[in-house]
Amino acid sequence: MQPFAPNLQLVDLHAEPDTKNCSMFSYQVKPDLSVYSNNYSTGCDCSKIEICVEFKWDASLDAFDDPFIEEQSDIPSFVHPSKSAKDTLGQITAYASMQLGSQYCTHAFSVLIVQDTTCIIRWDWEGVIVTCPIKYGED
């Protein structure tokens, strides 16, 4: 990825929680992939993350539905109603809250990748904007 993002470092820290900023939480904050600017040193530091990327390998863990697929339900919603999907939504919301709470910024971006589909997410203090699912190889 370095040729496409020369001023960013993509760091796999899925097994290394942030112990500096998030030690008081009852859960560990450790995004699968953390994107940092070039001044990154070592370890997970939520106060310096530019973008959090979360990977899920099972489609049942996808937090979002495509609201434009008619056969899904009578009530259009982009949040998948299953418990496992809501757990994923809680996880990525916690990461966004941690990032917004430890940085002086008005918004944050994250990416959720589920199998061959991704959603780009923009978080701010008012809510969230989620792209429709982007399917690799098709879109």
Side-chain angles (χ1 to χ4, degrees), residues 7 17 23 26-27 31-32 37 43 45 49 52 56 62 67 90 102 122:
N7 296 323
S23 60
S26 60
Y27 53 88
D32 289 334
S37 63
D45 186 349
I49 288 177
C52 293
K56 297 297 181 190
D62 193 351
S102 64
R122 182 192 185 276

Side-chain angles (χ1 to χ4, degrees), residues 24-42:
M24 68 210 120
F25 295 165
S26 60
Y27 53 88
Q28 292 185 329
V29 174
K30 47 184 187 174
D32 289 334
L33 185 68
S34 299
V35 180
Y36 292 93
S37 63
N38 274 340
N39 62 359
Y40 166 78
S41 55
T42 59

